[in-house]
Amino acid sequence: MLRFFAPVAFLASAVAAQAAEITSFTLDNGLDVVVIEDHRAPVVVNMVWYKVGAADEEPGVSGIAHYLEHLMFKGTDDLEPGEFSRTVAQQGGTDNAFTSYDQTAYFQRVASDRLELMMEMEADRMRDLQLDDRDIATELRVVQEERNQRIENDPGALFSEQRDAAQYLNHPYGRPIIGWMHEVEALELDDATSFYERYYAPNNAVLVVAGDVTPEQVRDLAEEHFGPLEPTEDLPERTRPQEPPQLAERRLTYEDPRVAQPYVIRTYLAPERDSGAQEEAAALTLLAEVLGSGQTSELNTRLQFGTGEALHTSAFYNGTSYDDTSFGLVIVPAPGVSLEDAEAALDRELADFLEDGVDAEQLDRIKTQLRAARVYESDSPQSLANRYGRALTTGLTIADVEAWPDLLDAVTAEDIMAAARRVFDRDRAVTGYLKAPEGADAPVAPTTVPAATEVMQ
């Protein structure tokens, strides 16, 4: 098999050639607007990002951010329940929404000449959502069933909830985005309306429009439809409880007869991307690629193709969060290898990696692959809108987003090893075993292996 890796100069010129034009401005009522101009196709993605997510909820009402996301598709003073999505579909477009820890986002992908209608409807539900007890009861059952399907029926998801709760003793990242079931069952109309009235406001939102538009078009439409909306005058400062110093490793074992494939996972507290200071996050991003991305990664080479002790290994890190995040390592043991032996193998190879350092050719290859991925991503207005919206709702700026590729490219092997030595502190880690009880019948469903990000749609 022949493998070709695009030269750095070629990829750099490709990025420059395909780079979209970015314009930003702020309306008088505080709404931030970002326009990503790309006229290669007559389509547009319209996204409204709210700077509020599951980690901004008050104690006792976990799941309210995700619950309100569902309720936003109910009626307004101008739209009947369900009419929003029906209208988008009638225009030949698609729409959806998602809730994460740090943001809630709503988006439509339509022909560019339908943008005004999308903005009109989004502005309508930003401030004029109409809810009653029937909406609450109906959608509450939908959310409960979603939790049953996505969490209660998946031992990997239940395990992930327990690990997060162990990782974050005080910070709200330790609560599930979908909410604890006993609190979701108790949500009431007042919980939803007070959350909506406080956080769903132009001065707590970012409008990102990507595709076949001009900044002048977007400004005129935004001022017409979003401009008249009143801001929340007493919008609370975005402060959250922070973690106390972790002084010892935390460990847990979760047993469930439905587990098809046992595995070991360890997650370490790690810094997020900070505005104007993203170098540490850039080094950790490349560390995750070096250790656990693809068949030629360090852990796979050592444990799967080397000693044969693993069926699968991975490493993950996502620095685009408002507060400290985590860096994770996973090993799925080969048949006949116990979880204890798999963990020992992981620790052994991690120690060897810290002694050996990063292979220069591997690092160059990874950087080239990241540049190529960015070129391909630039073809998608949806991906571009996500890139900027997610960053701006976690405290980063457009300048930070634009600086990120160069920061990744500037990371050295020494930077990666220094970051690895700082983050791989067992006193700041949670190690978990997921397995079936001894003697349990073999399940038929696969087990979910954790990923780097979590959202609820």
Side-chain angles (χ1 to χ4, degrees), residues 68-273:
L68 180 58
E69 176 216 311
H70 279 245
L71 294 172
M72 285 288 283
F73 291 89
K74 298 297 183 180
T76 69
D77 53 350
D78 295 326
L79 296 171
E80 295 293 325
E83 186 178 353
F84 191 109
S85 292
R86 287 198 303 272
T87 302
V88 175
Q90 288 166 357
Q91 302 303 311
T94 58
D95 75 318
N96 212 328
F98 61 83
T99 306
S100 189
Y101 280 113
D102 298 312
Q103 60 274 120
T104 311
Y106 303 83
F107 58 92
Q108 306 85 42
R109 185 179 188 276
V110 293
S112 51
D113 61 357
R114 304 295 195 272
L115 175 61
E116 180 170 12
L117 179 57
M118 301 302 108
M119 277 205 195
E120 181 182 357
M121 293 194 298
E122 279 290 14
D124 182 34
R125 68 176 173 179
M126 178 178 281
R127 277 312 212 183
D128 291 327
L129 189 65
Q130 304 293 311
L131 299 175
D132 58 32
D133 287 322
R134 289 176 300 176
D135 295 325
I136 293 293
T138 300
E139 210 58 41
L140 198 57
R141 289 192 293 272
V142 172
V143 173
Q144 290 170 4
E145 182 57 29
E146 181 180 350
R147 181 179 168 91
N148 282 330
Q149 292 179 356
R150 300 179 65 170
I151 308 295
E152 306 294 345
N153 290 334
D154 184 346
L158 289 169
F159 178 47
S160 180
E161 281 191 344
Q162 297 299 307
R163 288 189 299 99
D164 287 343
Q167 186 90 70
Y168 298 99
L169 297 185
N170 197 47
H171 192 281
Y173 286 166
R175 298 193 301 251
I177 292 172
I178 200 169
W180 300 114
M181 181 64 95
H182 69 284
E183 293 186 348
V184 171
E185 291 173 339
L187 294 176
E188 298 180 351
L189 177 60
D190 287 346
D191 298 321
T193 55
S194 62
F195 194 85
Y196 172 74
E197 290 168 359
R198 173 181 293 184
Y199 292 113
Y200 277 55
N203 56 327
N204 197 44
V206 181
L207 171 65
V208 182
V209 182
D212 186 26
V213 293
T214 65
E216 294 75 20
Q217 277 179 284
V218 174
R219 181 185 289 273
D220 289 345
L221 293 174
E223 288 180 342
E224 178 181 355
H225 297 292
F226 288 97
L229 302 181
E230 291 295 323
T232 295
E233 297 296 341
D234 57 345
L235 187 67
E237 186 178 349
R238 202 175 195 189
T239 56
R240 299 162 172 171
Q242 297 299 302
E243 283 295 289
Q246 183 178 339
L247 304 179
E249 181 185 10
R250 299 163 192 159
R251 301 183 68 88
L252 72 157
T253 299
Y254 185 82
E255 293 186 350
D256 192 305
R258 298 169 295 178
V259 172
Q261 178 62 67
Y263 61 81
V264 180
I265 178 171
R266 182 180 299 141
T267 51
Y268 304 82
L269 285 175
E272 79 283 10
R273 288 169 63 182

Side-chain angles (χ1 to χ4, degrees), residues 8 42 51 58 69 90 128 240 284 296 367 370 425 436:
V8 174
K51 299 177 186 178
E58 295 290 331
E69 176 216 311
Q90 288 166 357
D128 291 327
R240 299 162 172 171
L284 290 172
T296 60
K367 288 184 177 182
L370 290 177
D425 179 356

Side-chain angles (χ1 to χ4, degrees), residues 20-102:
E21 294 293 327
I22 311 297
T23 304
S24 65
F25 53 89
T26 302
L27 301 187
D28 291 342
N29 59 10
L31 178 70
D32 291 323
V33 183
V34 177
V35 184
I36 306 171
E37 190 175 0
D38 184 347
H39 300 287
R40 287 177 292 169
V43 297
V44 66
V45 171
N46 183 65
M47 295 194 77
V48 174
W49 295 75
Y50 292 96
K51 299 177 186 178
V52 64
D56 300 294
E57 299 164 341
E58 295 290 331
V61 290
S62 65
I64 191 64
H66 171 246
Y67 183 31
L68 180 58
E69 176 216 311
H70 279 245
L71 294 172
M72 285 288 283
F73 291 89
K74 298 297 183 180
T76 69
D77 53 350
D78 295 326
L79 296 171
E80 295 293 325
E83 186 178 353
F84 191 109
S85 292
R86 287 198 303 272
T87 302
V88 175
Q90 288 166 357
Q91 302 303 311
T94 58
D95 75 318
N96 212 328
F98 61 83
T99 306
S100 189
Y101 280 113
D102 298 312

